[in-house]
Amino acid sequence: MQDLAINLVASALAAVAAWLIQRGIRYRRLARMRAFFGLREGAPSLLIAGRHWSSPRVSSVHRNDMGAIVELGAIVKECGGRADLVPAAEAPKELGKVTEFCIGGPESNPRTAAHLAALLPGVRVTTFEEAGEGVPIIVGEARYERLPHEEAHVVLARALPTAHPVFLLIGQTALSNLAAARYLASHHRDLRRRYGDDSPFCLVLKVRQPGAYGPDLVQVVADATPTAFDGTPPPALPSQRRPWWSVGRRP
């Protein structure tokens, strides 16, 4: 009987020890995740989405951008923070007071245009109006073109103007914005190991065969960090005369 009691006590102590170890591991993982995203328990954050190009309403958002918002909102929720969705036209006139996730290119999101000019001077993201369906992303001397239904590119960056980071997801299509959000959600531990909590980064991702696989087939094609943050602004594209049948169309 005494041996049984000892075994029961030992089993209970082992179970408590295992629970405490698992709790400690979860706490460390959560603390690291919070540090990477600049979030804490109950802290607010901003999700600033670009306007749907075909809608006259400033608060209208493309369904794939909504998918990106859901992915990013899940990150914030896991960190115990609060995500506030703000249309680009209503973005606050301040910077760095809270963690910010900015979604979409400069054509749909003026907040993105401001961040590119102020935080990523070495990156130029063209618009459909000036470059057509190729909408190249230019980083230094590198140029990344969109091939409709075959491949699209997206810039995934973290800028650190203050202690609160700004995450930028700037794709050639709304689908590529979603791909970047999913990549960030699934690879943030790898990104933290590489860049830590206090260093900016800028990656160019390629979404392969989006017509067949949607946002699921993604690869890193360039780490453009030095050029994006320290490089000189790429030159503007020469003006192009677009065919009459392409006027008003978007990728």
Side-chain angles (χ1 to χ4, degrees):
M1 191 70 178
Q2 185 177 6
D3 290 342
L4 177 60
I6 293 173
N7 288 335
L8 289 173
V9 170
S11 298
L13 290 175
V16 170
W19 179 81
L20 289 173
I21 291 172
Q22 291 298 320
R23 182 179 175 85
I25 291 173
R26 286 195 299 269
Y27 179 81
R28 285 196 299 271
R29 286 178 178 173
L30 179 60
R32 291 168 182 168
M33 186 176 180
R34 287 174 172 173
F36 178 81
F37 288 106
L39 294 166
R40 63 182 187 278
E41 181 73 28
S45 63
L46 294 177
L47 303 178
I48 302 178
R51 180 181 64 85
H52 194 304
W53 65 267
S54 67
S55 174
R57 298 176 55 192
V58 297
S59 59
S60 178
V61 178
H62 193 284
R63 67 178 184 276
N64 285 323
D65 283 341
M66 281 304 304
I69 288 167
V70 170
E71 294 283 348
L72 299 172
I75 291 173
V76 175
K77 183 177 180 180
E78 187 173 352
C79 291
R82 187 185 79 240
D84 297 326
L85 177 60
V86 180
E90 301 174 11
K93 309 300 182 184
E94 56 190 25
L95 177 66
K97 291 190 175 181
V98 298
T99 293
E100 178 180 330
F101 300 88
C102 193
I103 306 162
E107 190 171 19
S108 65
N109 192 336
R111 184 76 167 181
T112 296
H115 286 330
L116 284 171
L119 305 178
L120 279 78
V123 178
R124 177 172 175 78
V125 179
T126 61
T127 66
F128 182 79
E129 292 299 327
E130 65 182 328
E133 291 189 344
V135 284
I137 294 172
I138 304 169
V139 185
E141 297 181 357
R143 182 183 176 110
Y144 305 94
E145 296 264 1
R146 172 180 177 259
L147 299 177
H149 309 296
E150 294 183 22
E151 63 183 40
H153 297 86
V154 54
V155 170
L156 173 61
R158 180 181 68 177
L160 295 163
T162 68
H164 297 285
V166 175
F167 288 88
L168 294 156
L169 298 82
I170 313 171
Q172 292 168 323
T173 63
L175 186 70
S176 57
N177 295 335
L178 173 56
R182 289 186 178 179
Y183 184 90
L184 182 62
S186 59
H187 290 82
H188 62 84
R189 293 186 183 90
D190 297 331
L191 293 172
R192 184 181 185 274
R193 281 192 290 268
R194 183 166 185 175
Y195 301 102
D197 301 326
D198 303 316
S199 297
F201 63 81
C202 179
L203 304 177
V204 180
L205 310 179
K206 178 192 291 186
V207 186
R208 297 168 55 195
Q209 297 298 324
Y213 304 125
D216 292 334
L217 195 58
V218 180
Q219 68 182 91
V220 178
V221 294
D223 182 343
T225 302
T227 303
F229 291 97
D230 302 326
T232 57
L237 293 176
S239 59
Q240 298 182 11
R241 183 176 179 84
R242 292 171 50 206
W244 63 267
W245 62 82
S246 69
V247 175
R249 295 179 59 196
R250 294 292 188 277

